[in-house]
């Protein structure tokens, strides 16, 4: 039920007092004998009382309806904002998971030796597709996070995710273009790339915790 302010409670109280006084006047006009002038006066009060009571009732109905409508709209706006934040959390985790999975497929293939041409073409195509998707989704997410989250640390954490993904992309792309002949050097690059993937996961968890904290507050 809506909570009235002090001024609103006073207006309602004054209306009720006026209605009570008018009812008392009406009762006196009916019970007590009076001359013609008095009766006309009291009859006027009765009419006035009816009008004021009707107007007061209409005002109260209008007031309550508007208060309920405003509160409902406020609630719906808050709910939409929360839904948008939850959606962004989900999209951020999904985007990072997809691009990391594509990188892990490349690293796994090279860790176990130089992949065959057919296998390399397949995982390379998947990596390139997810890289293009990441470039788009990361920029959209960056803008939406800035708009929908007040805590600047949320955007700062996601910026670190983007920077780390850029470093990972450099290593994986070079590995695909010019894989080292020495398997030990290949393994070093794969290990470095895996470190970056783990770093992205850690940064994303931090970003997610910051988003969740704001959503709960």
């Amino acid at each position: 039920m809506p909570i009235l302010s002090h001024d609103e409670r006073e207006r309602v109280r004054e209306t009720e007092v006026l209605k009570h006084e008018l009812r008392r006047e009406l009762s006196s006009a009916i019970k007590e004998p009076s001359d013609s002038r008095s009766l006309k006066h009291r009859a006027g009060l009765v009419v006035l009382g009816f009008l004021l009571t009707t107007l007061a009732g209409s005002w109260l109905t209008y007031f309550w309806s508007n208060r309920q409508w405003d509160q409902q709209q406020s609630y719906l706006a808050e709910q939409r904002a929360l839904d948008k934040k939850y959606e962004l959390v989900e999209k951020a985790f999904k985007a990072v998971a997809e691009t990391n999975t594509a990188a892990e497929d490349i690293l796994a293939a090279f860790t176990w030796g130089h992949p065959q041409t057919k296998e390399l073409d397949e995982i390379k195509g998947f990596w390139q597709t997810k890289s293009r998707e990441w470039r788009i989704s990361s920029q959209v997410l960056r803008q939406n996070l800035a708009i929908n989250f007040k805590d600047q640390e949320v955007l700062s954490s996601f910026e670190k995710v983007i920077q780390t993904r850029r470093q990972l992309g450099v290593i994986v792309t070079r590995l695909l273009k010019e894989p080292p002949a020495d398997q030990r050097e290949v393994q070093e690059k794969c290990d470095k790339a895996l470190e970056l993937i783990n770093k992205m996961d850690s940064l994303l968890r931090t970003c997610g915790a910051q988003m969740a904290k704001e959503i709960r507050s």
Side-chain angles (χ1 to χ4, degrees), residues 136-202:
I136 296 171
S137 63
S138 62
Q139 296 306 312
V140 173
L141 281 167
R142 172 193 280 164
Q143 296 300 320
N144 282 326
L145 290 175
I147 293 170
N148 291 278
F149 286 89
K150 297 178 182 178
D151 186 358
Q152 296 300 312
E153 291 301 318
V154 171
L155 183 59
S156 177
S157 294
F158 193 71
E159 288 283 2
K160 293 176 182 177
V161 172
I162 293 175
Q163 293 170 8
T164 304
R165 171 56 179 76
R166 188 175 295 117
Q167 297 174 33
L168 174 63
V170 170
I171 293 177
V172 173
T173 300
R174 286 178 179 174
L175 193 61
L176 288 169
K177 285 184 176 180
E178 299 177 2
D182 184 356
Q183 185 59 29
R184 185 173 57 182
E185 187 176 350
V186 170
Q187 190 61 49
E188 289 177 354
K189 291 184 179 298
C190 289
D191 289 343
K192 176 60 177 177
L194 285 172
E195 288 180 9
L196 292 172
I197 289 175
N198 291 333
K199 182 179 179 181
M200 282 179 67
D201 288 339
S202 178

Side-chain angles (χ1 to χ4, degrees), residues 84-98 134 137-138 140-141 144-145 158 204 211:
K84 182 63 176 180
K85 288 180 179 181
Y86 281 121
E87 180 185 350
L88 288 174
V89 172
E90 182 179 349
K91 285 184 176 180
F93 275 82
K94 182 175 183 292
V96 172
E98 288 181 348
W134 168 256
S137 63
S138 62
V140 173
L141 281 167
N144 282 326
L145 290 175
F158 193 71
L204 185 61
M211 288 189 282

Side-chain angles (χ1 to χ4, degrees), residues 39-53:
L39 284 173
K40 289 181 181 179
H41 173 68
R42 293 183 184 280
L45 288 176
V46 171
V47 174
L48 178 61
F50 172 77
L51 291 174
L52 289 177
T53 300

Side-chain angles (χ1 to χ4, degrees), residues 120-137:
L120 183 60
D121 289 343
E122 183 179 345
I123 59 178
K124 182 178 180 181
F126 183 62
W127 162 258
Q128 291 173 339
T129 297
K130 291 304 174 183
S131 292
R132 284 192 295 270
E133 291 177 0
W134 168 256
R135 286 195 294 272
I136 296 171
S137 63

